Amino acid sequence: MPAPFPPLSPVPPPDELLTARRRFFSGAPGAEQALALPIIRSWTRCAERGLPVGGRLKAEPLTQGELSIRRERYEALRRRCRPELEALHLSASAAGGIVILTDPTGLVLDTVGSADFADRAAQVALRPGVSWSEADSGTNAIGTALIERRGIEVRGAEHYAEPHGILTCAAAPIHDPFGELVGLLDLSGPSAVPHLHALALVELAVGQVEHRLFEGAFPGRDVVRFHADPSFLGTAREGVLVFEDHRLVAANRPALSLLGLGWDALGARRFSELFEGSLGRPGDARRARTPNGAVMLRLERQAPAPVRMAAVPAVAPPAAPAPAGPSFDAETEQALGRAIRLMNAGVPVLIQGETGSGKEVFARQIHARGPRADRTFAAVNCAALPEGLIESELFGYEDGAFTGARRAGFKGLFREADGGVLFLDEIGDMPLGLQSRLLRVLQEREVTPLGGGKAVKVDFALVCASHRDLKMLVEQGSFRADLYFRIAQYTVTLPPLRSLADREALVERLWRDMAGPGADAPLLSPACREALARHTWPGNFRQLTGVLKVLLALAEPGETVGPEALPADISAADLRSPAQPAATSSLPASQARDPAPGLSGDLGSVTRAAMDAALKECDGNISRAARRLGIHRSTLHRHLASRGH
Ligand SMILES: Nc1ncnc2c1ncn2[C@@H]1O[C@H](COP(=O)(O)OP(=O)(O)OP(=O)(O)O)[C@@H](O)[C@H]1O
């Protein structure tokens, strides 16, 4: 576990630094003596990646639309960081520099500070919408701090790329209470004006942000605050630990540092292993002993959540990485904003679109970004349940209403969704009889459980989805017109992937989100990206993300994945013919529901299916199949061995 405030490393004089640089890049020995270890490690990683030293690195900026999507995704973080950005802004401006907030991949979200320097920084692409990950921009404070997971300063010629030598930057990553990277703060200025305290200031600001991330985040949990010096209690330097059933589930870095622990202690340590005695009563401040000495400790129990959190766990599993958020094109993003506003005004939303186009993902975003986010998201797939069961799932039943009914009865999803969002997926498959009952609930806003009982008032926002054209079902008489008009007051039709304008950028974004920010994250070659962008993707996002997962799982660290790694049906068919425009290529619904065989399901089965397919196409020739998949032969041998071959 790195110390919260690592000591500053002395800056080598410019001549010494330039000599060390020449030595390093010519392969001569002796460069190490003049350079800090993180800088050497980073230069080595960049050189191994083949990044150019002299020229400009290829950091493609996001478009304005893509940037606003990314900013929206990190809106909560941006809000949390605003006071620190303001405070650092004063210091940065005085030194003629700027303050930067990035997402956890190193993509610049915001910059504030000296307009003069901002212009110069923009000349080396240090501006919003550009990735400063080490893989994209070489050694720099942002990318290197994210890899080293600690505060770092990179000054002048310590930058890997020569044009970046005009900068001096200090950056520190922001960790959430589970140890996940959630963003980064950076102070950058001209290299000619050294800012002696830049790293300490950034570290202090990050400590404040991390401390605030605990506020109200652990309803009903035991939060222990402690420090050896009681005057630190209540400040960002205090240790904060969260316990659930006496087991440690979350922490801040000062707490781990005071106890000499790492993030792996989350989920593994109990209160009694860290402090002598019991937890005590909330509000108590008392002296306690830790294996590292005496501390003053205060227990606080955060107020329970105002509502039931059944559908959204209050505490994320400690080790689970934050899932990458969905990627929307600008139009879909706008439709999402409108859907949220309308939902707030009590208007039901209907989502139409081919299979895998992201209808459920969209519905979940309506919930997650709206004011009902802390209430239930109750989802029911009307196509997956037999008629009798949908009814009881939705309406609930009284104690002993029918054979097999639970003794205590069941509230039903209408009532479960009370206060939250009810998502009726595949509503086009709802039987006609049930449609009239649903209509009545929507009109009267009350539910009567099966088996009698009193009608109960309900308040939920309704989002429905279907891959079937509901208007057509109405014309055919299999969907009630009155129900259609009630649920389709605002209809969003999600586009099929093949009709999106900038598919290459989308493929790249999805890949980066999956591969993560590490310097050894595999890359997609331009040819591979192009082939993926040209494919028609009948299974839409589901199919594309499935293929990307396979490519990623089969790629070696740091590898650039080429088109030869693609499944044969994608590389062959689509390199020859461009994607058809949406208007002419829309598949019949029955066909559109079947993604390419072998490319759906969990990652393991998709990977195995890709290996089986390659072996079959290469008549069992392991070397050829391995070449085609872009993997090592041993991977295929292991695969065959696991199948008993
Ligand atoms: N906007 C998106 N960004 C990234 N991935 C997405 C997006 N939309 C969908 N996906 C991926 O595709 C998968 C399928 O999405 P989803 O279940 O929302 O599709 P759907 O339209 O509801 O499909 P179906 O009609 O078959 O139920 C998701 O699990 C997710 O992995």
Side-chain angles (χ1 to χ4, degrees), residues 326-328 354-361 426 510 541-542 545:
S327 289
F328 295 123
E354 291 181 9
T355 184
S357 56
K359 296 184 290 296
E360 179 164 353
V361 165
E426 303 302 2
L510 289 170
F541 270 107
R542 180 180 290 117
T545 51

Side-chain angles (χ1 to χ4, degrees), residues 545-553 600-609:
T545 51
V547 168
L548 293 180
K549 280 181 195 165
V550 172
L551 295 179
L552 192 59
S600 56
D602 65 287
L603 176 55
S605 55
V606 174
T607 308
R608 287 190 293 277

